[in-house]
Coordinates of all heavy atoms in Angstrom, one line a residue:
M437 N -1.0 56.4 107.0 CA -0.4 55.1 106.7 C 0.5 54.6 107.8 O 0.5 53.4 108.1 CB 0.5 55.3 105.4 CG -0.3 55.5 104.2 SD 0.7 55.5 102.7 CE 1.3 57.1 102.7
T438 N 1.1 55.5 108.5 CA 1.9 55.1 109.7 C 1.0 54.5 110.8 O 1.3 53.5 111.4 CB 2.7 56.3 110.3 OG1 3.5 56.9 109.3 CG2 3.5 55.9 111.5
N439 N -0.2 55.2 111.0 CA -1.2 54.6 111.9 C -1.6 53.2 111.6 O -1.7 52.3 112.4 CB -2.4 55.5 112.0 CG -2.2 56.7 112.9 OD1 -1.2 56.8 113.6 ND2 -3.2 57.6 112.9
A440 N -1.9 53.0 110.3 CA -2.3 51.6 109.9 C -1.2 50.6 110.2 O -1.4 49.5 110.7 CB -2.6 51.6 108.4
A441 N 0.1 51.0 109.9 CA 1.2 50.1 110.1 C 1.4 49.9 111.6 O 1.8 48.8 112.0 CB 2.5 50.7 109.4
R442 N 1.2 50.9 112.3 CA 1.6 50.8 113.8 C 0.5 50.2 114.7 O 0.7 49.6 115.6 CB 1.9 52.3 114.3 CG 2.9 52.3 115.4 CD 2.9 53.7 116.0 NE 3.9 54.6 115.4 CZ 3.9 55.9 115.6 NH1 3.0 56.5 116.3 NH2 4.8 56.6 115.0
H443 N -0.8 50.6 114.3 CA -1.9 50.3 115.2 C -2.8 49.2 114.8 O -3.6 48.6 115.6 CB -2.6 51.5 115.5 CG -1.9 52.7 116.1 ND1 -1.1 52.6 117.2 CD2 -1.7 53.9 115.6 CE1 -0.6 53.8 117.4 NE2 -0.9 54.6 116.5
A444 N -3.0 49.0 113.5 CA -4.1 48.2 113.0 C -4.0 46.7 113.1 O -5.0 46.0 113.1 CB -4.4 48.6 111.5
R445 N -2.8 46.2 113.3 CA -2.5 44.8 113.5 C -2.9 44.0 112.3 O -3.5 42.9 112.4 CB -3.3 44.3 114.8 CG -2.8 45.0 116.0 CD -3.3 44.3 117.3 NE -3.4 45.2 118.4 CZ -4.4 45.3 119.2 NH1 -5.4 44.5 119.1 NH2 -4.4 46.2 120.2
V446 N -2.7 44.6 111.1 CA -2.8 43.9 109.9 C -1.6 44.3 109.0 O -1.0 45.3 109.4 CB -4.1 44.2 109.1 CG1 -5.3 43.5 109.7 CG2 -4.3 45.7 109.0
N447 N -1.3 43.6 108.0 CA -0.1 43.9 107.2 C -0.5 44.4 105.9 O 0.3 44.4 104.9 CB 0.9 42.8 107.2 CG 0.3 41.5 106.7 OD1 -0.8 41.6 106.1 ND2 0.9 40.4 106.9
E448 N -1.7 45.0 105.8 CA -2.1 45.5 104.5 C -3.0 46.7 104.7 O -3.9 46.7 105.6 CB -2.9 44.4 103.7 CG -3.2 44.7 102.3 CD -3.9 43.5 101.6 OE1 -3.1 42.5 101.4 OE2 -5.0 43.6 101.3
A449 N -2.8 47.7 103.9 CA -3.7 48.8 103.9 C -3.9 49.3 102.4 O -3.0 49.1 101.6 CB -3.2 50.0 104.7
T450 N -5.0 49.9 102.1 CA -5.2 50.4 100.8 C -5.2 51.9 100.8 O -5.8 52.6 101.6 CB -6.6 50.0 100.3 OG1 -6.7 48.5 100.4 CG2 -6.9 50.4 98.8
V451 N -4.4 52.5 99.9 CA -4.2 53.9 99.7 C -4.8 54.3 98.4 O -4.4 53.8 97.4 CB -2.8 54.3 99.8 CG1 -2.6 55.9 99.7 CG2 -2.1 53.9 101.1
T452 N -5.7 55.2 98.4 CA -6.4 55.7 97.2 C -6.1 57.2 97.1 O -6.4 57.9 98.1 CB -7.9 55.5 97.1 OG1 -8.1 54.1 97.5 CG2 -8.5 55.8 95.8
L453 N -5.7 57.7 96.0 CA -5.5 59.1 95.8 C -6.2 59.5 94.5 O -6.0 58.9 93.4 CB -4.0 59.4 95.6 CG -3.5 60.9 95.6 CD1 -3.9 61.5 96.9 CD2 -2.0 60.9 95.3
R454 N -7.1 60.4 94.6 CA -7.9 60.8 93.4 C -8.2 62.3 93.4 O -8.2 62.9 94.5 CB -9.2 60.0 93.2 CG -10.2 60.2 94.3 CD -11.4 59.3 94.1 NE -12.6 59.7 94.9 CZ -12.8 59.3 96.1 NH1 -11.9 58.6 96.8 NH2 -13.8 59.8 96.8
S455 N -8.5 62.8 92.3 CA -8.9 64.2 92.1 C -10.3 64.2 91.6 O -10.7 63.5 90.7 CB -8.0 64.8 91.1 OG -8.5 66.1 90.7
T456 N -11.1 65.2 92.2 CA -12.4 65.4 91.7 C -12.5 66.6 90.8 O -13.5 67.0 90.3 CB -13.4 65.7 92.9 OG1 -12.9 66.9 93.5 CG2 -13.4 64.6 93.9
G457 N -11.3 67.2 90.6 CA -11.2 68.4 89.8 C -11.1 69.6 90.7 O -10.3 70.5 90.5
D458 N -11.9 69.7 91.8 CA -11.8 70.7 92.8 C -10.9 70.4 94.0 O -10.4 71.3 94.7 CB -13.2 71.0 93.4 CG -14.2 71.4 92.4 OD1 -13.8 72.0 91.4 OD2 -15.4 71.0 92.5
A459 N -10.7 69.1 94.2 CA -10.0 68.7 95.4 C -9.2 67.4 95.1 O -9.6 66.6 94.2 CB -11.0 68.4 96.5
V460 N -8.2 67.2 95.9 CA -7.5 66.0 95.9 C -7.9 65.2 97.2 O -8.0 65.8 98.3 CB -5.9 66.2 95.9 CG1 -5.2 64.8 96.1 CG2 -5.5 66.8 94.6
I461 N -8.2 63.9 97.0 CA -8.7 63.1 98.1 C -7.9 61.9 98.3 O -7.7 61.2 97.4 CB -10.2 62.7 97.8 CG1 -11.1 64.0 97.8 CG2 -10.7 61.8 99.0 CD1 -12.5 63.7 97.3
A462 N -7.3 61.8 99.5 CA -6.5 60.7 99.9 C -7.3 59.8 100.9 O -7.8 60.4 101.8 CB -5.2 61.1 100.5
E463 N -7.3 58.5 100.6 CA -8.0 57.7 101.6 C -7.1 56.5 101.9 O -6.5 55.9 101.0 CB -9.3 57.2 101.0 CG -10.1 56.4 102.1 CD -11.6 56.2 101.7 OE1 -11.8 55.8 100.6 OE2 -12.5 56.5 102.5
I464 N -6.9 56.3 103.2 CA -6.2 55.1 103.7 C -7.1 54.2 104.5 O -7.7 54.7 105.4 CB -5.0 55.6 104.6 CG1 -4.0 56.5 103.8 CG2 -4.2 54.4 105.1 CD1 -4.3 58.0 104.1
R465 N -7.2 53.0 104.0 CA -8.2 52.1 104.6 C -7.5 50.8 105.0 O -6.7 50.3 104.3 CB -9.2 51.8 103.4 CG -10.5 51.1 103.9 CD -11.2 50.7 102.6 NE -11.7 51.8 101.8 CZ -13.0 52.2 101.9 NH1 -13.9 51.6 102.7 NH2 -13.4 53.3 101.2
D466 N -7.8 50.4 106.2 CA -7.4 49.0 106.6 C -8.5 48.2 107.2 O -9.5 48.8 107.6 CB -6.2 49.2 107.6 CG -6.6 49.8 109.0 OD1 -7.3 49.1 109.7 OD2 -6.1 50.9 109.2
E467 N -8.3 46.9 107.2 CA -9.3 46.0 107.7 C -8.9 45.5 109.1 O -9.2 44.4 109.5 CB -9.5 44.8 106.8 CG -10.0 45.2 105.4 CD -11.3 45.8 105.3 OE1 -12.2 45.4 106.1 OE2 -11.5 46.7 104.5
G468 N -8.1 46.4 109.8 CA -7.6 46.0 111.1 C -8.5 46.1 112.3 O -9.7 46.1 112.2
C469 N -7.9 46.3 113.5 CA -8.6 46.3 114.7 C -9.6 47.4 115.0 O -10.5 47.3 115.8 CB -7.7 46.1 115.9 SG -6.5 47.5 116.1
G470 N -9.4 48.5 114.3 CA -10.2 49.7 114.5 C -10.1 50.2 115.9 O -9.3 49.7 116.7
F471 N -10.8 51.3 116.3 CA -10.7 51.9 117.6 C -11.9 52.7 117.9 O -12.7 53.1 116.9 CB -9.4 52.7 117.8 CG -9.3 53.8 116.8 CD1 -9.4 55.2 117.3 CD2 -9.0 53.7 115.5 CE1 -9.2 56.2 116.5 CE2 -8.8 54.8 114.6 CZ -8.9 56.0 115.1
E472 N -12.1 53.1 119.1 CA -13.2 54.1 119.5 C -12.7 55.4 119.2 O -11.6 55.8 119.6 CB -13.5 54.0 121.0 CG -14.1 52.7 121.5 CD -15.6 52.7 121.3 OE1 -16.1 53.7 120.8 OE2 -16.2 51.6 121.6
L473 N -13.5 56.2 118.4 CA -13.0 57.5 117.9 C -12.6 58.4 119.0 O -11.7 59.2 118.9 CB -14.1 58.1 117.0 CG -13.7 58.1 115.6 CD1 -14.8 59.0 114.8 CD2 -12.3 58.6 115.3
R474 N -13.3 58.3 120.2 CA -12.9 59.2 121.3 C -11.5 59.0 121.8 O -10.9 59.8 122.4 CB -13.9 59.1 122.4 CG -14.0 57.7 123.0 CD -15.1 57.7 124.1 NE -15.6 56.3 124.2 CZ -15.0 55.4 124.9 NH1 -13.9 55.6 125.5 NH2 -15.6 54.2 125.0
D475 N -10.9 57.8 121.5 CA -9.6 57.5 121.8 C -8.6 58.4 121.1 O -7.4 58.4 121.4 CB -9.2 56.0 121.6 CG -10.0 55.1 122.6 OD1 -10.5 55.7 123.5 OD2 -10.0 53.9 122.3
S476 N -9.0 59.0 120.0 CA -8.1 59.7 119.2 C -7.9 61.2 119.6 O -7.3 61.9 118.9 CB -8.6 59.7 117.7 OG -9.7 60.5 117.6
V477 N -8.3 61.5 120.7 CA -8.1 62.9 121.3 C -6.7 63.0 121.7 O -6.2 62.0 122.4 CB -9.1 63.2 122.4 CG1 -8.8 64.5 123.0 CG2 -10.5 63.1 121.9
A478 N -6.0 64.1 121.3 CA -4.6 64.2 121.7 C -4.4 64.2 123.3 O -5.3 64.8 124.0 CB -4.0 65.5 121.1
E479 N -3.4 63.7 123.8 CA -3.1 63.7 125.2 C -2.5 65.0 125.6 O -1.8 65.6 124.8 CB -2.1 62.5 125.5 CG -2.6 61.1 125.2 CD -3.7 60.7 126.1 OE1 -3.8 61.2 127.2 OE2 -4.5 59.9 125.6
P480 N -2.8 65.4 126.8 CA -2.2 66.7 127.3 C -0.7 66.7 127.3 O -0.1 67.8 127.2 CB -2.7 66.8 128.8 CG -3.8 65.8 128.9 CD -3.6 64.8 127.8
D481 N 0.0 65.6 127.3 CA 1.4 65.5 127.3 C 2.0 65.6 126.0 O 3.2 65.6 125.8 CB 1.9 64.3 128.0 CG 1.6 63.0 127.2 OD1 1.0 63.1 126.1 OD2 2.0 61.9 127.7
G482 N 1.1 65.9 125.0 CA 1.6 66.1 123.6 C 1.8 64.8 122.8 O 2.3 64.9 121.7
S483 N 1.4 63.7 123.3 CA 1.4 62.4 122.5 C 0.1 62.2 121.8 O -0.9 62.9 122.1 CB 1.8 61.2 123.4 OG 0.8 61.1 124.4
H484 N 0.1 61.3 120.9 CA -1.1 61.0 120.2 C -1.7 62.2 119.4 O -2.9 62.4 119.5 CB -2.2 60.3 121.1 CG -1.7 59.1 121.8 ND1 -1.1 58.0 121.2 CD2 -1.5 58.9 123.2 CE1 -0.7 57.2 122.2 NE2 -1.0 57.7 123.3
V485 N -0.9 62.9 118.8 CA -1.3 64.1 118.1 C -1.5 63.9 116.6 O -2.0 64.8 115.9 CB -0.3 65.3 118.3 CG1 -0.2 65.7 119.7 CG2 1.1 64.9 117.7
G486 N -1.3 62.7 116.1 CA -1.3 62.4 114.7 C -2.6 62.9 114.0 O -2.6 63.7 113.1
L487 N -3.7 62.3 114.5 CA -5.0 62.6 113.8 C -5.4 64.1 114.0 O -6.0 64.7 113.1 CB -6.1 61.7 114.3 CG -5.9 60.2 113.9 CD1 -6.9 59.3 114.6 CD2 -6.2 60.1 112.4
V488 N -5.2 64.6 115.2 CA -5.5 66.0 115.5 C -4.7 66.9 114.6 O -5.3 67.8 114.0 CB -5.3 66.3 117.0 CG1 -5.4 67.8 117.3 CG2 -6.2 65.5 117.9
A489 N -3.4 66.6 114.5 CA -2.6 67.4 113.6 C -3.0 67.3 112.2 O -3.0 68.3 111.4 CB -1.1 67.0 113.8
M490 N -3.4 66.1 111.7 CA -3.9 66.0 110.4 C -5.1 66.9 110.1 O -5.2 67.6 109.1 CB -4.3 64.5 110.1 CG -3.1 63.6 109.7 SD -3.7 62.0 109.4 CE -4.6 62.2 107.9
R491 N -6.0 66.9 111.0 CA -7.2 67.8 110.9 C -6.8 69.2 110.9 O -7.4 70.0 110.0 CB -8.1 67.6 112.1 CG -9.0 66.3 112.1 CD -10.0 66.4 113.2 NE -10.4 65.1 113.7 CZ -11.2 64.3 113.1 NH1 -11.7 64.6 111.9 NH2 -11.5 63.1 113.6
E492 N -5.9 69.6 111.7 CA -5.5 71.0 111.8 C -4.9 71.4 110.5 O -5.1 72.5 109.9 CB -4.6 71.3 112.9 CG -5.3 71.3 114.3 CD -4.3 71.5 115.5 OE1 -3.1 71.7 115.3 OE2 -4.8 71.4 116.6
R493 N -4.0 70.6 110.0 CA -3.2 70.9 108.7 C -4.2 71.0 107.6 O -4.1 71.8 106.7 CB -2.1 70.0 108.5 CG -0.9 70.3 109.4 CD 0.2 69.4 109.3 NE -0.1 68.1 109.9 CZ 0.5 67.0 109.7 NH1 1.6 66.9 108.9 NH2 0.1 65.9 110.3
A494 N -5.2 70.0 107.5 CA -6.1 70.1 106.4 C -7.0 71.3 106.5 O -7.2 72.0 105.5 CB -7.0 68.8 106.4
A495 N -7.4 71.7 107.7 CA -8.3 72.9 107.9 C -7.5 74.1 107.4 O -8.1 75.1 106.8 CB -8.7 73.0 109.3
L496 N -6.2 74.2 107.7 CA -5.4 75.3 107.3 C -5.4 75.6 105.8 O -5.3 76.8 105.4 CB -3.9 75.2 107.7 CG -3.6 75.4 109.2 CD1 -2.2 75.1 109.5 CD2 -3.9 76.9 109.5
V497 N -5.6 74.6 105.0 CA -5.7 74.8 103.5 C -7.1 74.6 103.0 O -7.3 74.3 101.8 CB -4.7 73.9 102.8 CG1 -3.2 74.3 103.1 CG2 -4.9 72.4 103.1
G498 N -8.1 74.7 103.9 CA -9.5 74.7 103.5 C -10.0 73.3 103.2 O -11.1 73.1 102.6
G499 N -9.3 72.2 103.7 CA -9.7 70.9 103.6 C -10.3 70.3 104.8 O -10.5 71.0 105.8
D500 N -10.4 69.0 104.9 CA -10.9 68.3 106.0 C -10.4 66.9 106.1 O -10.0 66.3 105.1 CB -12.4 68.4 106.2 CG -13.2 67.8 105.1 OD1 -12.7 66.8 104.5 OD2 -14.2 68.4 104.7
V501 N -10.6 66.3 107.3 CA -10.2 64.9 107.5 C -11.4 64.2 108.1 O -11.9 64.7 109.1 CB -8.9 64.7 108.4 CG1 -8.7 63.3 108.8 CG2 -7.7 65.4 107.7
T502 N -11.7 63.0 107.6 CA -12.9 62.3 108.1 C -12.3 60.9 108.5 O -11.6 60.2 107.7 CB -14.0 62.1 107.1 OG1 -14.3 63.3 106.5 CG2 -15.2 61.4 107.7
V503 N -12.7 60.4 109.7 CA -12.2 59.1 110.2 C -13.5 58.3 110.4 O -14.4 58.7 111.1 CB -11.4 59.2 111.5 CG1 -10.9 57.8 111.9 CG2 -10.2 60.1 111.3
R504 N -13.5 57.1 109.8 CA -14.5 56.1 110.0 C -13.9 54.9 110.6 O -13.0 54.3 110.0 CB -15.3 55.8 108.7 CG -16.3 56.8 108.3 CD -17.0 56.4 107.0 NE -16.1 56.4 105.9 CZ -16.0 55.3 105.1 NH1 -16.7 54.3 105.3 NH2 -15.2 55.4 104.1
T505 N -14.3 54.5 111.8 CA -13.8 53.3 112.5 C -14.6 52.9 113.6 O -15.5 53.7 114.1 CB -12.3 53.7 113.0 OG1 -11.7 52.5 113.5 CG2 -12.4 54.7 114.1
S506 N -14.5 51.7 114.0 CA -15.0 51.2 115.2 C -14.3 49.9 115.6 O -13.7 49.2 114.7 CB -16.6 51.0 115.2 OG -16.9 50.0 114.3
P507 N -14.3 49.5 116.8 CA -13.5 48.3 117.2 C -13.9 47.1 116.4 O -15.1 46.8 116.3 CB -13.8 48.2 118.7 CG -14.1 49.6 119.2 CD -14.9 50.2 118.0
G508 N -12.9 46.5 115.8 CA -13.1 45.2 115.1 C -13.6 45.5 113.6 O -13.7 44.5 112.8
K509 N -13.8 46.7 113.3 CA -14.3 47.0 111.9 C -13.4 47.8 111.0 O -13.8 48.3 109.9 CB -15.6 47.9 112.1 CG -16.7 47.2 112.9 CD -17.6 46.5 111.9 CE -18.5 45.5 112.5 NZ -19.7 46.1 113.2
G510 N -12.1 47.9 111.4 CA -11.2 48.5 110.5 C -11.3 50.0 110.6 O -12.1 50.6 111.3
T511 N -10.5 50.7 109.8 CA -10.4 52.2 109.8 C -10.3 52.7 108.4 O -9.5 52.2 107.6 CB -9.1 52.6 110.6 OG1 -9.2 52.0 112.0 CG2 -9.0 54.1 110.7
A512 N -11.0 53.8 108.2 CA -10.8 54.5 106.9 C -10.6 56.0 107.3 O -11.4 56.6 108.0 CB -12.0 54.4 106.0
V513 N -9.5 56.6 106.8 CA -9.1 58.0 107.0 C -9.1 58.6 105.6 O -8.5 58.2 104.7 CB -7.8 58.2 107.7 CG1 -7.4 59.6 107.8 CG2 -7.8 57.5 109.0
R514 N -9.9 59.7 105.5 CA -10.1 60.4 104.2 C -9.7 61.8 104.4 O -10.2 62.5 105.3 CB -11.5 60.3 103.8 CG -11.9 61.0 102.5 CD -13.4 60.9 102.3 NE -13.8 61.6 101.2 CZ -14.1 62.9 101.1 NH1 -14.0 63.6 102.2 NH2 -14.6 63.5 100.0
A515 N -8.7 62.3 103.7 CA -8.3 63.7 103.7 C -8.6 64.3 102.4 O -8.2 63.8 101.3 CB -6.8 63.8 104.0
A516 N -9.4 65.4 102.4 CA -9.7 66.1 101.2 C -9.1 67.5 101.3 O -9.2 68.2 102.3 CB -11.2 66.3 101.1
V517 N -8.3 67.9 100.2 CA -7.7 69.2 100.1 C -8.1 69.9 98.8 O -7.9 69.3 97.8 CB -6.1 69.0 100.2 CG1 -5.4 70.3 100.0 CG2 -5.7 68.4 101.5
P518 N -8.6 71.1 98.9 CA -9.0 71.8 97.7 C -7.8 72.1 96.8 O -6.7 72.4 97.3 CB -9.7 73.0 98.2 CG -9.3 73.2 99.6 CD -8.9 71.9 100.1
I519 N -8.0 72.0 95.5 CA -7.0 72.4 94.6 C -7.1 73.9 94.3 O -8.2 74.4 93.9 CB -7.1 71.6 93.2 CG1 -7.0 70.1 93.5 CG2 -6.1 72.1 92.2 CD1 -7.4 69.2 92.3
M520 N -6.1 74.6 94.6 CA -6.1 76.1 94.4 C -4.9 76.5 93.6 O -3.8 76.1 93.8 CB -6.0 76.8 95.8 CG -7.3 76.7 96.6 SD -7.2 78.0 97.9 CE -5.7 77.7 98.7
G521 N -5.2 77.4 92.7 CA -4.1 78.0 91.9 C -4.0 79.5 92.4 O -4.8 79.9 93.2
P522 N -3.0 80.2 92.0 CA -2.8 81.6 92.4 C -4.0 82.4 92.1 O -4.3 83.3 92.8 CB -1.6 82.0 91.6 CG -0.9 80.8 91.2 CD -1.9 79.7 91.1
E523 N -4.7 82.1 91.0 CA -5.9 82.9 90.6 C -7.0 82.7 91.6 O -8.0 83.4 91.6 CB -6.3 82.5 89.2 CG -6.9 81.1 89.0 CD -5.8 80.0 88.8 OE1 -4.6 80.3 89.0 OE2 -6.2 78.9 88.5
D524 N -7.0 81.6 92.4 CA -8.0 81.4 93.4 C -7.7 82.0 94.8 O -8.3 81.7 95.8 CB -8.2 79.9 93.7 CG -8.6 79.1 92.4 OD1 -9.4 79.7 91.6 OD2 -8.0 78.1 92.1
G525 N -6.6 82.7 94.8 CA -6.2 83.3 96.1 C -5.2 82.4 96.8 O -4.8 82.7 97.9
G526 N -4.8 81.3 96.1 CA -3.8 80.5 96.7 C -2.4 81.1 96.7 O -2.2 82.0 95.8
D527 N -1.6 80.8 97.6 CA -0.2 81.4 97.7 C 0.8 80.4 97.0 O 1.2 79.5 97.6 CB 0.2 81.6 99.1 CG 1.5 82.2 99.3 OD1 2.2 82.4 98.3 OD2 1.9 82.5 100.4
S528 N 1.1 80.7 95.7 CA 2.0 79.8 95.0 C 3.3 79.6 95.6 O 4.0 78.6 95.4 CB 2.1 80.3 93.5 OG 2.6 81.6 93.5
E529 N 3.8 80.6 96.4 CA 5.1 80.5 97.1 C 5.1 79.3 98.0 O 6.2 78.8 98.3 CB 5.4 81.8 97.9 CG 5.5 83.1 97.0 CD 6.8 83.0 96.2 OE1 7.8 82.5 96.7 OE2 6.7 83.4 95.0
R530 N 4.0 79.0 98.5 CA 3.9 77.9 99.5 C 4.1 76.5 98.8 O 4.4 75.6 99.5 CB 2.6 77.9 100.3 CG 2.7 78.9 101.4 CD 1.3 79.2 102.0 NE 0.5 78.0 102.1 CZ -0.9 78.1 102.2 NH1 -1.5 79.3 102.1 NH2 -1.6 77.0 102.3
W531 N 3.9 76.4 97.6 CA 4.0 75.1 96.9 C 5.2 75.0 96.2 O 5.5 74.1 95.5 CB 2.7 75.0 96.0 CG 1.5 75.2 96.8 CD1 0.7 76.3 96.7 CD2 0.9 74.4 97.7 NE1 -0.3 76.2 97.5 CE2 -0.3 75.0 98.2 CE3 1.2 73.1 98.2 CZ2 -1.1 74.5 99.2 CZ3 0.3 72.6 99.2 CH2 -0.8 73.3 99.6
Ligands
ATP542 N1 -5.5 52.6 111.6 C1 -5.7 52.4 113.0 N2 -6.1 51.2 113.5 C2 -6.2 51.1 114.8 N3 -6.1 52.1 115.7 C3 -5.8 53.3 115.3 C4 -5.5 53.5 113.9 N4 -5.2 54.8 113.7 C5 -5.3 55.4 115.0 N5 -5.6 54.4 115.9 C6 -5.7 54.7 117.4 O1 -5.9 56.0 117.6 C7 -4.9 56.5 118.4 C8 -4.6 58.0 118.1 O2 -3.9 58.0 116.8 P1 -3.0 59.3 116.5 O3 -2.4 59.1 115.2 O4 -3.7 60.5 116.8 O5 -1.8 59.1 117.6 P2 -0.7 58.1 117.7 O6 -0.5 57.3 116.4 O7 -0.9 57.2 119.0 O8 0.6 58.9 118.0 P3 1.3 60.0 117.0 O9 0.6 59.9 115.7 O10 1.2 61.3 117.6 O11 2.7 59.4 116.9 C9 -3.8 55.6 118.3 O12 -3.0 55.6 119.5 C10 -4.5 54.3 118.2 O13 -5.0 53.8 119.4
MG543 MG1 -0.4 58.4 114.6

């Protein structure tokens, strides 16, 4: 959502949060300027880490992040995180 507000050059984005039963899926979609996906690689100086960090954090809990975008075509970021209870091996202390 911060990326949409900061980079997309539009003043509207759509946020959808839903559950499939196995996973929670968050999608943030804007109709803004979009970008070349290769531009989203983190810089060696530690800047532009947002998307990379999102992927890493999703992977840590068995989820993933998908980005669909291209210049002039808007951006959709989808994060899927599995729903786990203690009986699934999840660590309830973390939640
Ligand atoms: N919704 C968007 N619309 C247009 N461009 C985007 C969008 N999201 C990301 N970008 C482009 O991808 C780049 C990388 O995004 P990322 O979130 O990884 O880093 P950042 O926002 O630049 O910095 P940080 O998130 O570390 O503060 C951005 O600098 C921007 O150029
Ligand atoms: Mg960012």
